[in-house]
Amino acid sequence: MSNRVVSLLVPVISIILGLLVGAIVMLFSGYDPVNGYIALWNGIFGDSYAIGETIRQISPYILAGLAVAFAFRTGLFNIGVEGQLMVGWFAAVYVGAAFELPMIIHLPITLLAAALAGAIWGLVPGILKATLRVHEVIVTIMMNYVALHVVNALIKTVSGGSYKTEKIQPTASLRSDFLSNLTDYSTLHYGIFVALAMVIVMWFILEKTKTGFELKSVGFNENASQYAGMNVKKNIVLSMVISGAFAGLAGAMEGLGTFGSMTSQGGFTGIGFDGIAVALLGANTPLGVIFGASLFGSLKYGANNMPNAANIPLEIVSIVVALIIFFVASGYIIRVGLQRLNKKKEAK
């Protein structure tokens, strides 16, 4: 069995195992797994509206996954994507509502504002890591809570005491009548193209630039990089800044595309934390993040149809979705198993 065949079999077997174990959980819980999976399928691909909403759900997951993956590739663990996403969301909505400009100027500025806000939120843990060796995981976790409460305070301030910002100007919106009509009036917007463009940007930075080489080198071995003449501290800060910019753009997808405003949050959106799973599923590669986000976004949105269409409680649905993702993430174990099986056959 060639390595190519093994690489093709691993994800297929992973998904099948996840579906089988998920079916067993539903069966033992007293629910019909066939109806459950039909409802899941229809929730993702049932009609053009479901497809549009699924793609819309995937957009912020791609960017959140890129944010985590970029940090991982450069030797850092950015667990603060959630907070960076929230400040990016607020910045995009504020700039989108506060100014009246032509779309060709307004929309890029709002996207830049989101990226800049996320980058600034990533700058703080980057500086602390580079100068004082404070672990980025601790700082970014705390920065998530700071972001949550700061953003809620800012929303109340700019809205005059309300818990919701003003709607953004049409010139700052990512909404698309064409895409909406194409998908039976779903909330699908141009954000998916922004997300895919950022996939190319991440690949280009890491694989085709001197800066990307230095960032990866510092991530692999700080001492060797410093010995080679690289500025280790600068690269640590730059890595967190770029990662934060991706996360800020993920917030812009929600603010400029899905909602058009921002409401005070009672808790975290969850997108930033899910981005960790997306990055790991995609093996921290730009292309892999697309597939990881597609699987995660599809399951997340499609699962919403299971309680309505199959009368399966949300708790069981969450277990089933988690099991599918778990087995996909355990692909390495399946790969080892297939390789050992192949060696036994060759020995015979």
Side-chain angles (χ1 to χ4, degrees), residues 15-310:
I15 292 171
I16 290 171
L17 283 174
L19 292 171
L20 284 174
V21 177
I24 292 169
V25 169
M26 284 189 275
L27 204 59
F28 274 88
S29 302
Y31 301 99
D32 186 346
V34 175
N35 287 339
Y37 285 135
I38 289 172
L40 176 64
W41 176 269
N42 289 335
I44 301 169
F45 303 111
D47 51 34
S48 58
Y49 178 84
I51 292 171
E53 289 296 330
T54 299
I55 296 172
R56 189 266 307 160
Q57 182 80 49
I58 290 168
S59 302
Y61 278 127
I62 290 176
L63 287 159
L66 290 177
V68 178
F70 191 92
F72 271 141
R73 290 287 297 275
T74 55
L76 297 169
F77 189 3
N78 182 9
I79 207 170
V81 171
E82 182 70 28
Q84 293 150 15
L85 180 149
M86 294 183 75
V87 296
W89 183 346
F90 175 79
V93 167
Y94 177 77
V95 174
F99 303 100
E100 293 184 24
L101 298 165
M103 178 174 278
I104 196 170
I105 299 172
H106 202 183
L107 183 54
I109 285 176
T110 54
L111 291 171
L112 284 171
L116 182 62
I120 291 171
W121 220 251
L123 177 67
V124 177
I127 290 174
L128 291 174
K129 170 77 171 182
T131 58
L132 301 176
R133 310 307 296 173
V134 180
H135 203 289
E136 72 277 5
V137 169
I138 303 299
V139 181
T140 50
I141 288 174
M142 296 299 101
M143 292 290 285
N144 285 333
Y145 289 95
V146 175
L148 173 64
H149 296 295
V150 167
V151 166
N152 281 344
L154 287 172
I155 290 171
K156 199 168 182 180
T157 301
V158 301
S159 63
S162 175
Y163 293 97
K164 185 177 180 181
T165 65
E166 294 180 12
K167 281 280 186 182
I168 60 171
Q169 302 288 341
T171 52
S173 178
L174 286 168
R175 288 285 182 93
S176 166
D177 291 335
F178 170 73
L179 294 176
S180 181
N181 293 334
L182 196 66
T183 53
D184 197 21
Y185 303 103
S186 74
T187 55
L188 179 61
H189 51 77
Y190 288 126
I192 186 64
F193 300 112
V194 175
L196 293 175
M198 291 304 106
V199 170
I200 298 171
V201 168
M202 175 174 162
W203 168 81
F204 184 80
I205 290 172
L206 289 178
E207 305 299 335
K208 297 295 179 181
T209 67
K210 176 190 170 186
T211 299
F213 177 81
E214 288 191 4
L215 288 168
K216 289 187 292 182
S217 177
V218 170
F220 285 132
N221 192 318
E222 289 185 15
N223 294 326
S225 300
Q226 190 166 11
Y227 182 76
M230 299 177 193
N231 189 329
V232 171
K233 291 181 179 180
K234 183 198 80 174
N235 281 293
I236 289 173
V237 174
L238 183 60
S239 173
M240 288 301 297
V241 166
I242 295 173
S243 176
F246 284 133
L249 285 172
M253 299 301 100
E254 300 295 270
L256 305 180
T258 305
F259 299 104
S261 62
M262 188 174 191
T263 306
S264 289
Q265 305 293 307
F268 296 121
T269 67
I271 296 171
F273 297 122
D274 290 343
I276 299 170
V278 168
L280 293 174
L281 284 172
N284 299 319
T285 64
L287 186 61
V289 165
I290 295 177
F291 292 112
S294 298
L295 175 66
F296 216 90
S298 298
L299 289 174
K300 280 283 186 176
Y301 183 76
N304 293 330
N305 192 47
M306 293 174 74
N308 299 324

